[in-house]
Amino acid sequence: MKNSILTLVFLLAGLNIYGQINMEDSTAQVVSYWEKGEKQNYTATFDMYKVEGKDTISKEKLTYDVEITVLEADEKSYTVEWNYKNAKTDSKLPVVKNLLLLTNGKKVVIKTDELGMFKEVINWKEVKGFIQNIILKAKKEYTNDDPEKDKFFQQIEAMYTTKEAIESSSIKDIIQFHNFHGAKYKLGEVLEGKTKQTNLYGPQPFDVDVIVLLDEINVEEDNFTVRSWQEINKEQLANATFNYLTKMASNMKQKPPTRDDVKNISNETYTSSVVHPTGWILFTIETKTVSQGNNINIEERMMEIK
């Protein structure tokens, strides 16, 4: 059965505490029932793969812990702090090492609405300053004639320039965590619709097709599983990628790309979360796959409550 995804954004009212699973109508609601001072700890794994044809040509891993603390809770909102620590990697690649630096010690304070839907990053200036200091330190590790250095740091700096950029590209695990909050789902019902996603390559956001499904209600374990699939408009993605690569090639005085270099490009994201009736996520996995011909880049993030 398919309904408009607009049903995902209705306001929930008159809820009984922890009453998110209703077996009478096979529905489940993802709503935060948190108290001030409440705290949960998670372990996270971020894997990056590169595939050519049937061969995996590289695989890098980053692990870290997150302590999530509810700083404020009232009738209208929650203020929550994400404290990142214990980031580790065995990778020797500079890019992954810099991701390690960008993760360890970072603190992000966010605000949600009363249902747990993400609203904004409160301390975005603090986050921006933290990242800028890390970038300055990381730059010193590179030789001045390394073209990949400039390309990488330009991309990273762009992700942390403004509040909007930080919220759209540099807190992906937080967005993943709150992906399903604020809505009621019916078991087996497929919700389809469209949304917008920030385009870091240009001013116009991407159109995104979305599918959401309540896949399982586990009464014995007192949890439920929600899944979603998202795909960016391919034509918009190809145009934005071509324009960005052309600009980068010009800045680095390299040969510009051709349209064939970006044809058949796709960007798909799959997310699955196991939710407790309190609104805390027990486990979540998100897989982002960017394909172009035989070349596939995969980013997979898993978070699990300790």
Side-chain angles (χ1 to χ4, degrees):
M1 181 177 181
K2 300 180 180 180
N3 284 336
S4 169
I5 205 167
L6 292 176
T7 60
L8 295 179
V9 297
F10 73 98
L11 295 179
L12 304 176
L15 298 177
N16 295 320
I17 190 165
Y18 301 170
Q20 297 196 70
I21 299 177
N22 187 338
M23 289 308 299
E24 292 184 2
D25 61 2
S26 298
T27 61
Q29 301 162 340
V30 186
V31 180
S32 295
Y33 293 110
W34 300 341
E35 300 290 338
K36 180 179 179 179
E38 194 172 350
K39 184 180 299 184
Q40 298 291 351
N41 286 278
Y42 290 80
T43 182
T45 301
F46 182 54
D47 290 303
M48 293 155 281
Y49 306 87
K50 287 188 177 181
V51 179
E52 288 186 0
K54 297 181 179 180
D55 299 322
T56 300
I57 60 175
S58 70
K59 179 180 179 181
E60 309 297 333
K61 180 186 291 288
L62 175 70
T63 62
Y64 58 93
D65 295 327
V66 180
E67 184 177 79
I68 304 176
T69 304
V70 181
L71 301 180
E72 298 290 342
D74 56 40
E75 294 180 354
K76 295 183 178 180
S77 66
Y78 293 96
T79 302
V80 183
E81 179 185 79
W82 283 55
N83 185 5
Y84 296 80
K85 50 191 176 180
N86 302 326
K88 300 176 182 177
T89 183
D90 293 330
S91 175
K92 305 300 182 183
L93 293 180
V95 170
V96 183
K97 285 180 164 181
N98 288 323
L99 284 175
L100 182 72
L101 294 172
L102 292 169
T103 302
N104 233 348
K106 183 172 68 175
K107 290 185 178 181
V108 181
V109 180
I110 68 165
K111 177 169 283 189
T112 75
D113 67 7
E114 69 275 20
L115 307 178
M117 292 178 64
F118 172 82
K119 292 182 66 177
E120 63 175 331
V121 174
I122 297 176
N123 69 330
W124 70 271
K125 291 183 178 179
E126 179 183 336
V127 174
K128 177 182 177 181
F130 171 82
I131 298 304
Q132 287 178 334
N133 288 334
I134 295 300
I135 289 175
L136 287 175
K137 293 179 181 179
K139 278 183 176 180
K140 297 178 181 179
E141 298 181 4
Y142 290 82
T143 59
N144 291 331
D145 59 353
D146 183 356
E148 291 299 317
K149 174 201 71 173
D150 294 329
K151 180 180 178 181
F152 173 74
F153 285 119
Q154 284 175 8
Q155 291 173 332
I156 293 297
E157 288 172 340
M159 293 169 61
Y160 293 90
T161 301
T162 65
K163 180 174 184 283
E164 291 74 17
I166 289 173
E167 291 174 346
S168 64
S169 63
S170 61
I171 57 164
K172 294 182 179 179
D173 48 2
I174 297 177
I175 299 301
Q176 176 182 341
F177 190 92
H178 290 273
N179 187 50
F180 300 109
H181 277 79
K184 180 179 181 180
Y185 307 92
K186 185 174 180 62
L187 186 65
E189 184 177 64
V190 178
L191 301 174
E192 292 185 307
K194 294 183 181 295
T195 186
K196 297 285 186 179
Q197 181 172 312
T198 300
N199 173 10
L200 293 177
Y201 298 154
Q204 297 300 322
F206 291 124
D207 292 323
V208 182
D209 291 320
V210 183
I211 296 175
V212 183
L213 170 69
L214 173 60
D215 192 51
E216 180 182 8
I217 297 177
N218 191 328
V219 177
E220 293 183 359
E221 298 293 333
D222 198 22
N223 61 52
F224 53 94
T225 301
V226 192
R227 309 185 193 276
S228 71
W229 295 262
Q230 301 183 41
E231 183 175 9
I232 293 177
N233 180 281
K234 292 181 179 179
E235 182 178 356
Q236 295 173 1
L237 179 62
N239 290 336
T241 303
F242 176 77
N243 293 335
Y244 174 78
L245 293 177
T246 300
K247 182 178 179 180
M248 288 296 298
S250 176
N251 293 338
M252 299 171 67
K253 301 187 183 307
Q254 295 181 351
K255 181 180 178 181
T258 66
R259 281 289 178 177
D260 284 342
D261 293 328
V262 297
K263 72 176 184 179
N264 299 323
I265 189 171
S266 65
N267 185 317
E268 300 177 2
T269 301
Y270 162 76
T271 307
S272 176
S273 296
V274 180
V275 187
H276 188 267
T278 56
W280 288 105
I281 302 299
L282 302 177
F283 174 83
T284 178
I285 181 171
E286 182 175 280
T287 304
K288 176 181 175 181
T289 304
V290 179
S291 304
Q292 201 277 314
N294 291 325
N295 298 315
I296 302 174
N297 290 322
I298 301 172
E299 296 180 356
E300 186 170 80
R301 181 184 293 103
M302 292 186 290
M303 296 179 61
E304 185 171 13
I305 198 168
K306 290 186 176 181

